[in-house]
Structure formats: structure tokens, C-alpha cells
């Protein structure tokens, strides 16, 4: 396999292979605002010819209106007046999708929205599929793929940290990083391609020391990005914290203490609590998903039946373990024994020594030593009866979450797909480096380099397939 | 009591007494789109100084932008970037409220909307109360009160007929009717006021024959409008249909037949089914609320316990009664007896003779005669087992609902408040007519005329009070 690219026309190499999962010529329409009754609803309709189509519902046209202007109009169908609405005109290429678009802001009545969409469809529009407006924005070059994916993340972000990471990606943070890496490698790929064309003469257009320099810098950057994924994922999905501890150690008291303020806020958001055993709190913008396996644990008190099997599954997924010890009723030996069963499975084992109000600080020191001996990374003595310990508990969780506040210039990988693409790039880059070092065949070198470029290009969508686009955009909401 | 008005400055007479339930100078802010996650959310912020306030969140101002223009901007608070959004600028007096307004179209994330509203409030805006944007539109003379009320009706309309009635009112249908009536009467009120000023000379500026002509035309129009209320109310709230009939007459079968298609549609709309005993179907754009009192009725089968007491309450409220007779198992005599118990309470008594498949059409004739003898207005023989009878049943209900499709120029009263104001106007007008006919004192004449004018003015809001406005607008959604 040879590469068919020279540096002069590199854009020809990794073109988007997408040709048309859906018909891009169609005029598409969807409600863009959430379902339900409200003051205002927005219906988005987009595609070539949309102005003429919408004009057919109006007594006074908008097709001659300038981009980014708003017009009050009565909308009519064959049954009569649908609504009086505000129509915002976006002309190719300056709107969200890049295509001609009208956003119709109606009274927030589901009846009106349904009737309007039906009327537009009778005139020739078709209902948009999930994410189709953003897909068009991507296909029209308004966003790259990582930015398009960030749109969905921005919409679903529920905490300050996840919102910040998504906004950074939307504004092109990750794309900028990759683009820089890729451009330099594409230059080398082009030179090696030239060498293949002149293979009988055994020339080296690509200087090997410069290539190695570039490869190792790229690999380093890719590995740095890979390392951000644990944090990026925690930021996006929340940090999982598995609760453990013997019955009556005071877990419920401590977690009621922790949750009392946030619970009301959390319950506003549909779907935050995924099952009855999970609770979510947000500490300084970072979400923690507290998973209680108490139901199992409290059946008996043998170690094996402490719900450990279930806890293990979470720990394997990267969750933190938070063990609560009853310092008044249990013993440090029991704590140490319990921790040893847990500690092999996680590097994130924290211990709360409860009921400090019944102990002296000096006694707690023995417990702390047992915790560290058992494998815990950190220990906090506190009392669930002391309201002031709430803030100490929150700080303890935050400090031990391995989460650092995101600085303005740190790019986080938050997306599983990007993580896997970077993993592929990493292994391909390592192979290229070995190939250069060993002077192995240029064909293999070119092949591995191409694979690394492809993996990086998948993140921004410079390389893509219909299936990939379908799988990405089908997770969007309709109307976006 | 005298009138202080002459025809030359009549607008001074019935000024809006509203002075400021809430502070009109505040900048108010609210989410305008339904709660929840979506592609787009709209936050509306309105009031004097709003452009300067919003500018403080932007790196590039919008305060110099023209009305009805749209601007892509990044929005910032002290924590950082909130979102990239579209800002639509409406300048006093051309937007919805009449005040300077910005509508901010963000990504449809509850997190972003909350953070944006909080940021705006920290800069000096305050959360808008329910209906406050529309209240301002009313106070700024963009809408009269009947139109403002129509906004809420438009939003909550769930059928073609109720939507049409609300749109007609929003476009000023009822206001136009009243305004015409009121203007002529105000002319006469002014002339009679003049007569009172010259009362010692016993002059008549208001020609009594012309006054009588105008009064009787106004009365006639008011009575016509009053008559539309039954239909208007049915259009807005749906026609109530109380189901009656002995156990096992086949009610369930008939109503499953009727409901089978619509049930899925109906269940999409939150709150349509008000309790477990109620079902809603829409026939040609008109809603029918089917109320089943079967739970009571099936306890025993004595007439008194047929749920009649409960049924009576609905019938007194204007509901139709729909009695199902089992023509295979019961007898025409039982039908006639049951109907007599119902017929005194309603003029809307319909009978369905079920199980026609087990009878000949000729036998059904006897049942029809019994139904009419018992006081039923209409009779339909059918079979719940015959799917084709579904359409016949729907047509039967529609034809007997006293509902006529609304023609373009018929104004319907759909609002209880308007109905009561027109009732007051009617009785005052009748007193004025008697006063003119009997030549009673001009003071009384003026007093009654003033009452009629006040009642009419209440509908459009030319006469109003804080309490009235509060009660009207508090029923709106926030953000409208």
C-alpha cells in the first residue's frame, strides 16, 4: 500500500469519506426547544429553498430579508391562522448550519408547534433526524467533529466543571491541539511518499532526526491528552464513589449530612439519580456519584457478604472507595482487615473514622494508622452529629478525587471515542518510532504513519464514515 | 354621583387605575422556553437599561444594535464563559413588551440557563413574575386586556377549535366588537353629562330616539355575545359528556371503540385527563370530555343509586348526558323510566341503543320511540362490535353537541370573566332602557349607563384594578 500524497496537495489525502447518509438537499424542520407548554417555542427549518417554502405560509414574504434579522409575521395553513410569530432569517453561510435557515419563534403551545411542523412538511420540508442540523454544520465546515460532539456535551452538562470542559472543546480546544500535531506529521508523510516514488534511488527527503523529533513530541502530546481522560471522564460523568463499611457504622448519618443541602437541587434534574442506590452531590462544580451497596452489605456481616463483589465492579471501573468505620463500636483491627479486602482493587481507598465525638483525637490516631496500614490513601476523623464536619467532609472528598480545577489552557479529553482514537494513535506512533530507529522498510513506516494520522483525523472528523457520523449524531436531541 | 366627562375628552373618564403592582422600572428576566433539555433555550430580559446591562456580559457590545437584529456573542460571568449564544435585540417600542428587550437563545442546557439568569440577576435584573412580560405589553398599550388574556389561551389551546377562538381573540376580535359598542355609548354618556350640567334648563342634548336605538343595538349585541359563551366555553374547555346506563349495557365497549385511536394522542398532553374517570377525545377539532360515573352506578341497579346525584352536578354545569341502553337484555320501558329521571335536568340527553347486531332495525324503532318519549333529544342504534359504527358515533356526538364550526366572522366569548362582565352590562343596559322609556331621573340614567360602560371596559382593560390584573397575569407561565 502506498500513500498518494505529496506535501503540495495534502488535503486530498484524508478527505471526508462521507457522501450522504441523509439527503443534504432536503429542507429539514424540527422543534428546537424542549417539549411542553411554555411562553415561547422555537421551530427550526433549514435547507436550500427554505425562504421560498416559508413564504408560502406568509402574506408578506421574508425571502428578501437580510441575514440575522427578525420579522413579525402571521403564519397560515389551509385551515387558517396558525400563529403570529417572530421569524429569524439566517442566510447561507452565516447561520448555525451554514445553510439558509429560518427560526420561527411561536407561542409555546404544543398544538401550534405540531401544526406548524405539519404545515411545513406538507409544503415540502421533512422532519429532521436527531442531530441533523449540527451534522449539516459539520458537513458545511462550520464545526469540526470534536466541536460538533461538544455541542451535545454542552447541552447535557450539569455541573460547572463538565460545562467548562465542553465549552472548551466547543471552542476548538482539542481540535487546535490535534490539528497542530497532524499538520507536521502530514508534512513528513508527504516526504516519505516522495521517497517511495524514488525508491530505487534510496533518497531520504524526510530528515530522520527531524522526523524523530516530531514523532516523539507528538507521542508525548498524545500521551498527555490520554492522561487527562480519567479527569475528563470524571468531569463529564461525575466521580463514582462506592460507599462501604459495616452495618451501623454511621454511613447514613454521614451521607445525610453531606447531602442535606444538595438533595433538593439534584432532584430538579431529571435522570441524575440513576437508581435507588445512587445519590449525586456537586462539590465546587465537580459531581460525585455516591453509590450505596448497603442493601446487600447489611444482610450479614461476614466480609464476603459485605457486598464486596458488587463494590469490586465499580472499583474496576475507576470508582473511589469510601469506607466508614465506627470508631466507638468497632476496632482498628477489623478496619484493617476490611480494608485489605478492598485495597487490592483500587488506588482510591479513603476512610472516614466516624463518631470522633465519643473519642479523643489521640485515640483516632490509632485508627488512622490502621487505615494507612490497611491500604487507605487518606483518613478523616469526624462526627456525623457535627454539622461543621460537613464542609470538612466535602473538602476531603474533593481533595482525594484526583480532580484539579481546570486551568484555562488545559485541554481535557472527555469523550470515549477520542480516548480510543488517541490510544490507536499512540500505538501507531510507537511503531513508527521503532521503524525509524531500526531503519525498517519505508512501506511499513508509511503505513503506520498513515494509521496514526487517521486516528488523529478521526477525532476532528477529517477522516470519517457514515456509520461513525450516524452513531455520533443519533445521540443528539432532535432539533439540534 | 355625576359623570365628569364630555365627548371631547372621553379617554379621561375610564382610565386604567393600575399604578404599579410591581415595579415597572425593573429589568426582568426569565426563561421563556419550557423547562428541560433541548437544542435551544430562550431567556428573555426586558426593561429600561437592558442593553447596557447585557453589554457587561459581552466582549463586543450589542447596545448599538438596531431593533430586530440578531448577534452571535460569547456570554461571560465572573467564573468564565457561560455560552456562545444568539442575542436578538428589540428596541422600545417595537418588541413584545414594548420595552427594550433582549432574547438570548442559548444551548438548551438547564445548567446554562440557570447560570445565565443568575448572572443577569447579579448585574441588576430580577426574576420576572408569571405573565409579567405580557403585563408590561398591556401596560405599554401593545395589547388590550382581552388580547393579553388570549395569549394564555393561545398557549394552552389543545384543539383546532380552541386554538381558533383564542387566536381570534388575540387578534382583537372581541376587543373590536366591544370598542364599537362602547364608543357610541360614551358619546351618549357625554351628552347626558352635559344635560346634568344644564339640569335647571331641562335640555336634552342626547336625542332619546337615537339613544334608544343605540342602547337596543348594544343590548342585542351583548346578548348575542352572551349566547356564544356556551359554545365558546365548550370550545375552550371541551364539551362535557356524562356517561349513563345500566351495568353491562356495553358502555365500555362503545367508549373503547370511540377512544381507540385518540387515546395515544391524548396521553401526550400533560393534564388532559383530569382524573381516572375522565377521558378526552377530539372530533373534528372539538374536544369532548367523557365523564364516567360507572364506579358508583355499578354498585346496585336501583335508579336512585345509578350515580344520578353525581351526574346531576355535571348536567347542571351544562354537560350532555349520553345514556347507553342494552337493547338485547333490557326493555324499552326501563330505558324510558331511566331517562325520565335524567331528562328534567338537561336539554342535552342523548341515547345510544347498543347491540343492534342482535336486533333488527325494525325492533330498534321501538327503542327510539321509548327514548324520545323519555325525553331524549336524539337516538342512535349501533353495535360496539362494529368498527364501522365508530364514525357514526363520532358524527352523532358532534352533531348533538350544539357546536357549530366557527365561521371567520363569529366572535366567541370563551372567558368566564368576560361572560360575567357582559352579564353586568346586559342588566345595566336593560335598566337604562327602562329609565329612558319611563323618563326617570337623568342621574339614575347616567349611573346605569356608566355601569354598563364600566362592565364593557373591564373586558378590554380600559377599567381595571391591581387585584384584577394580579389574578389574570398570575395564571400565566413565567417567561410570558
Amino acid at each position: 500500500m502506498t500513500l498518494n500524497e505529496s506535501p503540495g496537495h495534502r488535503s486530498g489525502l484524508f478527505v471526508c469519506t462521507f457522501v450522504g447518509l441523509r439527503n443534504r438537499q432536503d429542507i429539514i424542520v424540527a422543534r428546537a426547544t424542549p417539549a411542553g407548554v411554555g411562553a415561547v417555542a422555537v421551530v427550526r427549518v433549514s435547507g436550500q429553498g427554505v425562504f421560498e417554502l416559508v413564504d408560502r405560509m406568509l402574506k408578506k414574504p421574508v425571502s428578501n430579508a437580510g441575514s440575522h434579522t427578525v420579522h413579525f409575521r402571521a403564519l397560515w395553513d389551509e385551515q387558517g391562522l396558525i400563529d403570529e410569530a417572530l421569524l429569524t432569517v439566517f442566510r447561507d453561510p452565516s447561520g448555525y448550519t451554514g445553510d439558509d435557515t429560518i427560526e420561527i419563534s411561536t407561542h409555546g403551545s404544543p398544538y401550534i408547534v405540531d401544526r406548524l411542523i405539519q404545515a411545513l412538511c406538507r409544503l415540502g420540508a421533512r422532519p429532521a433526524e436527531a442531530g441533523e442540523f449540527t451534522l449539516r454544520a459539520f458537513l458545511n465546515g462550520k464545526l469540526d467533529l470534536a466541536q460538533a460532539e461538544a455541542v451535545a456535551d454542552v447541552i447535557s452538562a450539569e455541573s460547572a466543571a463538565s460545562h467548562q470542559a465542553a465549552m472548551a472543546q466547543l471552542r476548538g480546544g482539542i481540535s487546535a491541539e490535534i490539528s497542530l500535531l497532524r499538520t507536521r506529521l502530514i508534512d513528513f508523510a508527504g516526504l516519505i511518499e516522495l521517497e517511495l516514488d524514488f525508491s530505487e534511488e534510496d533518497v531520504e527527503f524526510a530528515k530522520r532526526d527531524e522526523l524523530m523529533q516530531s514523532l516523539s513530541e507528538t507521542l508525548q502530546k498524545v500521551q498527555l491528552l490520554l492522561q487527562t481522560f480519567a479527569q475528563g471522564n470524571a468531569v463529564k460523568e461525575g466521580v463514582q464513589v462506592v460507599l462501604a463499611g459495616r452495618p451501623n457504622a454511621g454511613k447514613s448519618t454521614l451521607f445525610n449530612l453531606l447531602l442535606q443541602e444538595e438533595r433538593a437541587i439534584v432532584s430538579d434534574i431529571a435522570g441524575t439519580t440513576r437508581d435507588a442506590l445512587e445519590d449525586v452531590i456537586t462539590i465546587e462544580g465537580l459531581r460525585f456519584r455516591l453509590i450505596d451497596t448497603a442493601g446487600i452489605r447489611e444482610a450479614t456481616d461476614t466480609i464476603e457478604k459485605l457486598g464486596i463483589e458488587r463494590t469490586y465492579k465499580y472499583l474496576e471501573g475507576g470508582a473511589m472507595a469510601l469506607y466508614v468505620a465506627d470508631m466507638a463500636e468497632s476496632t482498628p483491627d477489623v478496619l484493617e482487615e476490611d480494608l485489605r479486602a478492598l485495597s487490592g482493587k483500587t488506588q482510591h481507598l479513603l476512610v472516614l473514622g466516624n463518631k470522633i465525638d465519643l473519642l479523643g483525637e489521640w485515640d483516632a490516631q490509632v485508627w488512622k494508622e490502621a487505615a494507612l496500614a490497611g491500604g487507605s490513601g487518606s483518613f478523616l476523623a469526624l462526627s456525623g452529629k457535627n454539622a461543621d464536619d460537613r464542609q470538612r467532609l466535602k473538602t476531603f472528598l474533593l481533595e482525594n478525587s484526583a480532580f484539579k480545577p481546570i486551568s484555562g489552557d488545559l485541554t481535557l479529553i472527555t469523550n470515549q471515542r477520542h480516548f480510543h482514537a488517541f490510544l490507536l494513535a499512540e500505538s501507531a506512533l510507537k511503531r513508527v518510532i521503532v521503524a525509524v530507529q531500526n531503519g525498517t522498510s519505508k512501506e511499513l513506516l508509511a503505513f503506520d504513519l498513515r494509521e496514526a494520522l487517521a486516528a488523529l483525523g478521526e477525532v476532528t472528523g477529517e477522516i470519517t464514515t457514515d456509520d461513525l457520523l450516524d452513531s455520533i449524531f443519533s445521540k443528539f436531541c432532535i432539533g439540534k
Side-chain angles (χ1 to χ4, degrees), chain A:
Chain A
M1 184 186 268
T2 60
L3 289 169
N4 295 308
E5 191 195 44
S6 71
H9 48 277
R10 77 174 64 108
S11 61
L13 175 57
F14 296 120
V15 293
C16 170
T17 65
F18 182 90
V19 281
L21 207 56
R22 306 158 177 97
N23 191 342
R24 286 187 57 193
Q25 302 305 312
D26 290 350
I27 293 175
I28 54 175
V29 59
R31 178 175 48 69
T33 43
V37 173
V40 166
V42 175
V43 171
R44 189 178 258 173
V45 49
S46 181
Q48 230 45 53
V50 67
F51 301 136
E52 291 69 24
L53 182 140
V54 171
D55 270 358
R56 291 165 62 195
M57 306 183 70
L58 311 176
K59 298 204 166 158
K60 187 179 166 194
V62 292
S63 54
N64 48 0
S67 192
H68 291 66
T69 60
V70 180
H71 307 272
F72 183 72
R73 291 287 186 277
L75 296 160
W76 302 84
D77 64 9
E78 58 267 42
Q79 291 172 66
L81 181 67
I82 301 175
D83 199 6
E84 295 178 329
L86 287 172
L87 277 64
T88 306
V89 169
F90 299 95
R91 289 198 173 269
D92 178 3
S94 59
Y96 178 70
T97 62
D99 294 329
D100 286 343
T101 300
I102 296 184
E103 287 185 6
I104 304 174
S105 176
T106 68
H107 287 96
S109 140
Y111 172 82
I112 288 175
V113 169
D114 289 349
R115 190 164 143 193
L116 175 58
I117 291 175
Q118 285 162 18
L120 287 164
C121 289
R122 277 196 301 274
L123 292 175
R126 69 162 168 81
E129 292 177 37
E132 197 169 3
F133 294 97
T134 306
L135 173 64
R136 289 191 174 186
F138 164 67
L139 295 174
N140 287 331
K142 304 282 293 185
L143 298 168
D144 68 33
L145 199 54
Q147 288 177 304
E149 288 170 291
V151 170
D153 289 346
V154 164
I155 288 172
S156 62
E158 292 174 354
S159 72
S162 59
H163 170 259
Q164 189 186 349
M167 285 305 299
Q169 190 178 323
L170 177 62
R171 284 164 77 86
I174 206 164
S175 307
E177 306 259 358
I178 297 159
S179 189
L180 216 69
L181 301 175
R182 238 181 133 247
T183 306
R184 281 167 54 187
L185 287 185
I186 286 175
D187 284 345
F188 283 108
L191 292 171
I192 289 168
E193 161 69 13
L194 272 183
E195 292 177 13
L196 288 174
D197 288 348
F198 293 87
S199 55
E200 288 162 20
E201 299 170 37
D202 198 24
V203 290
E204 282 194 359
F205 295 115
K207 291 192 182 149
R208 289 305 185 259
D209 53 342
E210 287 180 12
L211 174 57
M212 275 301 284
Q213 171 80 10
S214 185
L215 285 169
S216 73
E217 279 176 20
T218 306
L219 179 62
Q220 210 176 359
K221 188 76 206 177
V222 165
Q223 285 172 333
L224 265 176
L225 283 170
L226 281 170
Q227 282 163 26
T228 69
F229 182 65
Q231 176 159 2
N233 201 46
V235 157
K236 185 172 168 182
E237 307 291 343
V239 179
Q240 284 191 324
V241 181
V242 176
L243 312 186
R246 303 230 163 197
N248 300 321
K251 293 188 303 298
S252 298
T253 315
L254 288 179
F255 293 100
N256 284 340
L257 178 74
L258 197 56
L259 290 167
Q260 64 190 42
E261 279 179 23
E262 280 81 4
R263 198 180 275 269
I265 298 164
V266 164
S267 66
D268 273 358
I269 305 164
T272 40
T273 306
R274 299 276 159 84
D275 68 42
L277 299 172
E278 195 172 321
D279 256 307
V280 177
I281 63 164
T282 302
I283 305 176
E284 293 189 19
L286 184 68
R287 291 161 68 82
F288 290 83
R289 300 189 169 274
L290 307 177
I291 300 147
D292 195 351
T293 51
I296 296 168
R297 198 166 47 242
E298 285 172 6
T300 85
D301 70 350
T302 65
I303 275 286
E304 288 71 24
K305 298 208 173 158
L306 276 180
I308 291 251
E309 298 80 6
R310 196 165 170 186
T311 305
Y312 282 175
K313 285 198 182 156
Y314 285 107
L315 296 181
E316 283 162 13
M320 292 164 55
L322 189 55
Y323 183 96
V324 178
D326 179 347
M327 299 195 295
E329 298 290 333
S330 187
T331 68
D333 289 347
V334 169
L335 168 64
E336 199 176 325
E337 181 192 348
D338 283 2
L339 292 183
R340 286 194 198 283
L342 285 169
S343 64
K345 302 287 177 177
T346 177
Q347 297 173 315
H348 303 289
L349 180 54
L350 309 178
V351 175
L352 298 180
N354 193 20
K355 309 192 186 173
I356 184 70
D357 50 318
L358 304 178
L359 250 72
E361 280 292 341
W362 190 87
D363 292 320
Q365 187 60 31
V366 182
W367 285 86
K368 180 172 184 175
E369 281 157 18
L372 299 183
S376 168
S378 205
F379 176 87
L380 176 72
L382 80 173
S383 164
K385 293 185 175 169
N386 185 355
D388 294 343
D389 278 350
R390 184 163 185 273
Q391 189 52 51
R392 292 179 62 219
L393 180 50
K394 286 169 70 174
T395 305
F396 180 75
L397 267 183
L398 190 64
E399 281 176 355
N400 288 286
S401 68
F403 170 76
K404 303 287 166 292
I406 311 166
S407 73
D409 47 354
L410 177 65
T411 304
L412 290 184
I413 305 182
T414 60
N415 187 308
Q416 199 83 35
R417 189 181 75 77
H418 299 174
F419 180 67
H420 286 291
F422 284 122
L423 277 181
L424 283 180
E426 182 192 32
S427 95
L429 284 167
K430 283 179 175 168
R431 288 197 305 276
V432 176
I433 288 171
V434 170
V436 174
Q437 283 169 335
N438 298 352
T440 34
S441 84
K442 286 175 186 169
E443 279 80 5
L444 271 174
L445 183 70
F447 181 83
D448 285 335
L449 192 50
R450 186 190 164 154
E451 198 166 293
L453 285 167
L456 295 175
E458 269 181 22
V459 175
T460 56
E462 283 157 290
I463 313 254
T464 184
T465 65
D466 288 5
D467 285 349
L468 176 64
L469 292 182
D470 214 18
S471 114
I472 289 172
F473 287 98
S474 63
K475 287 175 200 134
F476 274 61
C477 47
I478 301 275
K480 192 71 212 181

